[in-house]
């Protein structure tokens, strides 16, 4: 008997318990993530305090690319979260200078998606480390009113990561997106 490995190109947002609660997701609304064929893989998302605001951090599992978004006026919901993610990722890749075609290729699989629970201790550990680093850099930069959050996001993504054999997230993303060209 052969085992067939299913792969997918849709978005799985792997939500921490904080995010699941904020979205009102129950166990039945969470899916088992299938291995991803998307260039930037599946994404983890966590909700945390950043200064006096609630923020969300998104992190690509295979590349450790991450970015932070503040929760806005619109309530966080299973509809708004994927929209926020896609807009944030597109903006981040634009700010880094990726070509329109590369951005379109990278984000195309993410126009449909599902929610899943986190399933990797290593990825969750990296995500939690990033939350702490974002919090520390924002405070060191004078708090939310004074810091340059864009520069902080770019700096974190330039930091060498042990899980990437000491490459940085931007190097991993560039490699993944060059394969598509």
């Amino acid at each position: 008997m052969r085992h067939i490995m299913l792969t997918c190109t849709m978005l799985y947002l792997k939500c921490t318990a904080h995010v699941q609660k904020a979205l009102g997701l129950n166990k039945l609304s969470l899916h088992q993530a299938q291995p991803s064929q998307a260039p930037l893989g599946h994404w983890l998302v966590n909700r945390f305090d950043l200064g006096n605001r609630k923020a969300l951090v998104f992190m690509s599992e295979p590349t450790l690319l991450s970015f932070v978004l503040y929760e806005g006026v619109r309530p966080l919901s299973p509809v708004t979260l994927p929209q926020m993610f896609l807009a944030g990722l597109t903006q981040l890749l634009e700010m880094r200078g990726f070509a329109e075609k590369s951005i379109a290729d990278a984000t195309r699989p993410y126009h449909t998606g599902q929610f899943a629970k986190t399933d990797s201790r290593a990825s969750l550990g990296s995500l939690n480390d990033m939350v702490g680093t974002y919090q520390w850099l924002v405070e060191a930069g004078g708090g939310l009113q004074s810091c340059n959050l864009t520069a902080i996001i770019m700096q974190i993504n330039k930091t060498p990561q042990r899980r990437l054999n000491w490459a940085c997230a931007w190097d991993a993303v560039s490699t993944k997106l060059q394969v598509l060209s």
Side-chain angles (χ1 to χ4, degrees):
M1 173 182 244
R2 274 202 223 154
H3 293 285
I4 298 173
M5 177 71 94
L6 297 175
T7 58
C8 69
T9 55
M10 75 167 50
L11 170 66
Y12 278 95
L13 283 176
K14 295 182 176 184
C15 303
T16 63
H18 287 93
V19 175
Q20 292 172 34
K21 184 176 178 184
L23 295 176
L25 298 175
N26 60 34
K27 292 194 186 298
L28 296 176
S29 56
L30 299 174
H31 299 272
Q32 182 69 39
Q34 301 300 317
S36 179
Q37 292 298 314
L40 302 180
H42 297 314
W43 288 74
L44 281 81
V45 59
N46 195 4
R47 185 175 189 228
F48 66 103
D49 292 323
L50 191 59
N52 59 351
R53 307 236 357 227
K54 289 288 185 194
L56 299 162
V57 62
F58 296 87
M59 184 192 80
S60 162
E61 268 189 307
T63 67
L64 304 184
L65 181 69
S66 69
F67 60 95
V68 170
L69 297 175
Y70 301 128
E71 284 189 33
V73 177
R74 288 174 49 191
L76 193 60
S77 75
V79 173
T80 60
L81 184 66
Q83 293 169 349
M84 291 171 64
F85 161 75
L86 194 55
L89 176 59
T90 300
Q91 182 180 25
L92 181 64
L93 295 174
E94 286 171 350
M95 288 188 304
R96 181 64 179 177
F98 284 98
E100 252 182 69
K101 182 188 180 318
S102 294
I103 295 170
D105 290 344
T107 59
R108 185 173 298 112
Y110 300 142
H111 290 278
T112 60
Q114 298 179 336
F115 295 103
K117 65 179 184 171
T118 57
D119 57 1
S120 165
R121 289 168 81 155
S123 294
L124 191 55
S126 294
L127 182 69
N128 288 329
D129 287 347
M130 282 184 193
V131 166
T133 303
Y134 277 115
Q135 289 172 320
W136 184 83
L137 289 172
V138 165
E139 288 306 312
L144 287 177
Q145 293 73 25
S146 302
C147 75
N148 181 341
L149 187 58
T150 300
I152 291 170
I153 292 168
M154 294 301 198
Q155 177 184 348
I156 286 177
N157 287 309
K158 289 179 189 172
T159 303
Q161 300 288 333
R162 182 183 322 169
R163 286 190 49 213
L164 299 174
N165 294 320
W166 302 110
C168 71
W170 284 124
D171 293 340
V173 169
S174 293
T175 299
K176 296 275 188 182
L177 297 184
Q178 282 176 357
V179 169
L180 298 177
S181 298

